Amino acid sequence: METLLGLFEAARWAPSAFNAQPWRFVYARRGTPAFERFVAALVPGNQAWARGAAALVAVVSQEVLTLPGQSAPAPFPSHSFDAGAAWAQLALQAYLWGWSTHAIGGFDAKLAREALALPDHHHVEVFVAIGRQGDPAGLPDWARAREKPSDRRPLADLVREGSFAG
Ligand SMILES: Cc1cc2nc3c(=O)[nH]c(=O)nc-3n(C[C@H](O)[C@H](O)[C@H](O)COP(=O)(O)O)c2cc1C
């Protein structure tokens, strides 16, 4: 629990537009009824490996909120972007402490909503599996085949000076 709280502490210091902090986290530890509900919301391919995690965390963003100085709630355009920054900070802190994290976008939105008792105007961005690196031998064949370092596009594909035409 201390570790999880430390990870949320890292996440909560992420920057956000107007410092609105539109991220929310709902956690479930393995062996609890909530964990089973979270697992059941995942698509079967993700259930196969994610059920071995020590904890699952739902990263939720608030789509509509009342900004400081405003009197009424309004759609908040950067809710997903800001929640993404928070998740990245959580993942980096976990890595520094020797834990693995794996974001999971493959879930049933309706089941996730029910599992979390999600309030209106909230959006489930991802579930995050958190745990110690396991032995790939325990994985199904298709999942074991993925267990190799992943690459990234070169900077030349990603970066332009001035405009896309540049
Ligand atoms: C928003 C998001 C959704 C993802 N959804 C899934 C998923 O449903 N299942 C899965 O196995 N991995 C999922 N991933 C993990 C990515 O596939 C993984 O981060 C990517 O392939 C790069 O691999 P690496 O993080 O090991 O470098 C997701 C990652 C993100 C950021």
Side-chain angles (χ1 to χ4, degrees):
M1 192 58 226
E2 212 175 299
T3 300
L4 271 177
L5 285 179
L7 300 184
F8 297 135
E9 180 64 21
R12 86 183 176 91
W13 284 100
S16 58
F18 299 98
N19 198 20
Q21 305 160 57
W23 44 74
R24 300 291 182 271
F25 308 101
V26 186
Y27 69 87
R29 288 173 287 176
R30 196 175 65 226
T32 65
F35 187 89
E36 290 308 315
R37 287 200 309 275
F38 284 23
V39 170
L42 305 180
V43 299
N46 287 326
Q47 289 185 11
W49 57 267
R51 63 169 63 261
L56 287 168
V57 172
V59 179
V60 171
S61 66
Q62 210 181 341
E63 298 169 310
V64 171
L65 51 84
T66 306
L67 289 172
Q70 301 288 312
S71 55
F76 189 68
S78 67
H79 65 96
S80 285
F81 184 84
D82 293 347
W87 129 252
Q89 294 201 179
L90 182 151
L92 289 172
Q93 183 66 71
Y95 178 78
L96 286 174
W97 285 344
W99 293 87
S100 293
T101 57
H102 192 138
I104 307 172
F107 59 87
D108 181 300
K110 184 166 175 288
L111 287 180
R113 207 161 248 288
E114 288 165 5
L116 300 168
L118 200 70
D120 286 347
H121 306 307
H122 285 65
H123 176 71
V124 184
E125 301 285 352
V126 285
F127 285 87
V128 179
I130 303 173
R132 296 291 188 192
Q133 185 84 43
D135 182 353
L139 291 171
D141 289 348
W142 62 266
R144 196 174 332 114
R146 299 194 310 186
E147 289 298 303
K148 47 183 190 292
S150 55
D151 206 355
R152 294 295 188 270
R153 292 173 192 274
L155 281 182
D157 282 5
L158 310 175
V159 183
R160 294 285 179 274
E161 182 174 5
S163 78
F164 273 85

